[in-house]
Amino acid sequence: MRKVLLWMGLAILLQLQLGSAYKLVCYFTNWAQYRPDPAKYSPNNIDPYLCTHLIYAFATMKENKIAPFEWNDESRFFPEFQALKKRNNRLVTLLAIGGWNFDMKTFTQMAASQANRKTFIDSVVAYLRKFEFDGIDLDFEYPGSRGSPPEDKHHFTILIQEMLEAFKVEATSTGKPQLLITAAVAAGKGTIDAGYEIAEIGKLLDFISVMTYDFHGGWDPVTGHNSPLYQGSTDQGDMKYFNSKYAMEYWNNNGVPAEKLLMGFPTYGRTIKLSSSATSVGAPASGAGSAGPYTREAGFWAYYEICTFLRSASVCWINDQKVPYAYKGNEWAGFDNVCSYKHKVKYLKEKKFGGAMVWTIDLDDFLGTFCNEGKYPLITELKRLLETNEPIVADCPKDQSCYTGGGTTTPTPSPPTGPTPNNKFCSGKEDGTYADPADRTKFYMCAGGRTYSFSCPTTLLFDESCTCCNYPKY
């Protein structure tokens, strides 16, 4: 009996020493160094105790071998990144390869043959050991999509299988801890189906980060939130798949153990230009919102840019999706805050997922001077929520109306607007969204027999598979 009590005590002590059982995986981006002061960010800015895992984004590939992307990755940033482990010896660091701007043709070429895959895997082992990373994060966006052929879906599985075997052999021969293999994967159902043999890679990978963000943005014809937790009450067709809950449970239900799945938490928001006086979810939109002064990308604002916008904007809560949005003039922003994080972590814990993934550490208010909410207000709250053993009571916000400068206002309704050139198109049709049969850049919304016409933003075409404007399929 005394031995049992002793072991129980040791187990409790070990848990207290290690902290939360949940992973908190944070990405650092090597292009954050190019932002204007005071938003410029380097590995020296990172708090090494904030996250359990740090992932360096991104490396690239040349001649089937892993390669640095930025000029100072190897000479400065890698050493600074690994020096964080001297301050926190429990910190795990990984190197991500890929990203949205990665040319998938290079992945297709590498993955197509056993010889090319071996060249890549051997280069990864040597590179990770040379620069003291604990593993590789595969962030190819995406096998089977964006120019990647259907066979890349299976090739991705084979690559992971062969990489895992090589990592085991290397660890045995050197006596070093085995390198980790993780992946950042799509959250959209169509992209998941095209790109992943879900159950197979779920057995092989150490953990999987689901990119539960970018569900909506300036590419859509109407406003929608960047990272909703739940399906919206007005979501129709494939739009019902565009939420964090559906994505996480789709991966889980198709064979990935819950404890291996990490839910994505964005520290940024997507901005959209309003094209009418309507302002709520589903309001007509005309492309990406203005670029932020520091991130300088149309339709994309860091949290530290959003919180300054909120001081003079109308801020609203989407009750069915448990996330906020704000608008001022024709600028509309769907973003996350500590309140939406609370709802998301409550859900994450109820489903027993493995933890959270943050994109990115450098987009939070790392100085604490923009938002006056302390340093890293979003990630700090996320860490607290994951570590607490107390039940999470997601009771915020209690006031579900909009407010501006502290005063409440009534949310503006967002019916489709008209008139339209083809006012007979919807006659006899059910309410919904329809392609213009004569012009792929246009579409119609039908409501109560009335016809409302819209045009997709430049370079996009209407896609019936998602009832949205999308990039042309290759």
Side-chain angles (χ1 to χ4, degrees):
M1 182 65 180
R2 291 179 62 186
K3 289 184 178 180
V4 172
L5 291 174
L6 178 61
W7 279 111
M8 289 177 63
L10 288 172
I12 293 171
L13 178 61
L14 181 62
Q15 181 61 35
L16 289 173
Q17 288 176 336
L18 295 178
S20 170
Y22 294 98
K23 293 180 179 67
L24 177 50
V25 177
C26 301
Y27 280 87
F28 158 80
T29 56
N30 54 3
W31 60 90
Q33 63 181 306
Y34 301 120
R35 293 179 186 135
D37 285 327
K40 185 179 295 184
Y41 196 95
S42 75
N44 284 335
N45 293 107
I46 298 173
D47 177 351
Y49 297 98
L50 195 59
C51 309
T52 63
H53 297 62
L54 288 173
I55 300 183
Y56 190 106
F58 286 109
T60 188
M61 189 191 304
K62 294 180 180 178
E63 297 179 348
N64 298 320
K65 295 180 180 180
I66 193 169
F69 187 89
E70 291 292 347
W71 61 279
N72 58 352
D73 282 338
E74 296 181 349
S75 62
R76 178 189 162 195
F77 274 15
F78 287 172
E80 288 181 4
F81 200 71
Q82 303 302 359
L84 297 167
K85 290 194 281 192
K86 295 178 181 178
R87 295 164 60 190
N88 178 5
N89 60 14
R90 296 195 188 99
L91 185 64
V92 178
T93 60
L94 298 99
L95 178 61
I97 182 170
W100 182 256
N101 294 319
F102 181 82
D103 184 359
M104 283 300 292
K105 292 186 182 68
T106 62
F107 169 81
T108 298
Q109 175 183 310
M110 177 273 292
S113 73
Q114 193 277 333
N116 287 354
R117 292 192 298 270
K118 185 177 188 306
T119 297
F120 174 68
I121 292 167
D122 289 347
S123 76
V124 167
V125 172
Y127 203 75
L128 296 181
R129 291 306 189 193
K130 179 179 180 180
F131 293 103
E132 301 180 318
F133 285 97
D134 300 309
I136 188 77
D137 182 62
L138 304 175
D139 194 356
F140 299 118
E141 300 181 17
Y142 299 97
S145 300
R146 300 184 70 221
S148 170
E151 54 266 28
D152 279 354
K153 177 177 181 176
H154 184 56
H155 289 165
F156 185 59
T157 305
I158 296 174
L159 173 67
I160 298 170
Q161 289 172 336
E162 294 175 350
M163 182 174 282
L164 179 59
E165 184 58 33
F167 283 9
K168 288 178 179 177
V169 170
E170 190 268 348
T172 301
S173 64
T174 63
K176 295 179 180 179
Q178 185 173 315
L179 294 166
L180 302 173
I181 311 176
T182 68
V185 299
K189 182 180 181 299
T191 311
I192 297 170
D193 291 341
Y196 310 103
E197 295 174 342
I198 298 175
E200 287 78 3
I201 67 172
K203 297 172 186 174
L204 302 169
L205 293 167
D206 288 287
F207 62 79
I208 295 174
S209 299
V210 185
M211 293 185 278
T212 47
Y213 38 74
D214 292 342
F215 285 115
H216 299 286
W219 51 87
D220 288 331
V222 297
T223 58
H225 198 277
N226 175 50
S227 180
L229 175 54
Y230 299 117
Q231 177 183 338
S233 58
T234 60
D235 285 342
Q236 298 180 357
D238 286 350
M239 290 297 104
K240 65 186 179 183
Y241 306 138
F242 285 24
N243 59 82
S244 301
K245 178 182 185 294
Y246 185 90
M248 294 301 296
E249 293 177 23
Y250 192 74
W251 277 95
N252 186 204
N253 293 338
N254 281 278
V256 180
E259 64 271 16
K260 282 192 175 185
L261 289 170
L262 309 184
M263 191 163 99
F265 283 71
T267 52
Y268 70 93
R270 286 287 178 183
T271 64
I272 302 169
K273 287 285 187 186
L274 296 169
S275 60
S276 76
S277 60
T279 58
S280 63
V281 175
S286 58
S290 301
Y294 300 102
T295 50
R296 298 177 293 184
E297 177 184 338
F300 181 100
W301 289 352
Y303 182 68
Y304 55 75
E305 293 169 322
I306 288 169
C307 68
T308 56
F309 174 72
L310 300 183
R311 293 169 188 157
S312 58
S314 295
V315 184
C316 307
W317 180 252
I318 310 170
N319 193 43
D320 53 2
Q321 298 189 300
K322 305 304 181 189
V323 283
Y325 70 93
Y327 64 91
K328 178 184 177 183
N330 67 345
E331 296 279 6
W332 194 97
F335 62 99
D336 274 89
N337 60 11
V338 293
C339 188
S340 62
Y341 271 28
K342 182 179 288 189
H343 285 276
K344 289 181 176 183
V345 176
K346 182 176 185 293
Y347 164 79
L348 180 159
K349 287 188 170 184
E350 287 171 350
K351 292 295 181 179
K352 296 181 171 52
F353 292 127
M357 174 270 283
V358 174
W359 184 269
T360 65
I361 195 169
D362 47 82
L363 294 172
D364 201 354
D365 184 14
F366 60 94
L367 295 173
T369 56
F370 287 94
C371 308
N372 295 319
E373 299 169 353
K375 293 183 178 180
Y376 297 101
L378 293 181
I379 304 174
T380 298
E381 176 64 3
L382 179 56
K383 175 181 170 68
R384 185 192 71 80
L385 291 167
L386 289 172
E387 290 181 347
T388 183
N389 291 320
E390 298 296 322
I392 297 174
V393 181
D395 59 351
C396 64
K398 293 179 180 178
D399 183 356
Q400 294 167 8
S401 63
C402 302
Y403 64 89
T404 306
T408 60
T409 61
T410 304
T412 307
S414 59
T417 58
T420 67
N422 186 350
N423 57 15
K424 295 182 180 179
F425 179 86
C426 291
S427 178
K429 289 185 172 62
E430 294 182 357
D431 290 359
T433 305
Y434 298 84
D436 185 329
D439 188 344
R440 291 186 63 200
T441 68
K442 297 179 180 179
F443 62 99
Y444 297 102
M445 287 188 178
C446 300
R450 300 178 66 185
T451 303
Y452 305 92
S453 179
F454 299 89
S455 296
C456 290
T458 306
T459 75
L460 302 187
L461 301 176
F462 185 77
D463 184 350
E464 290 182 286
S465 68
C466 64
T467 59
C468 66
C469 291
N470 205 347
Y471 292 100
K473 295 181 179 178
Y474 298 97

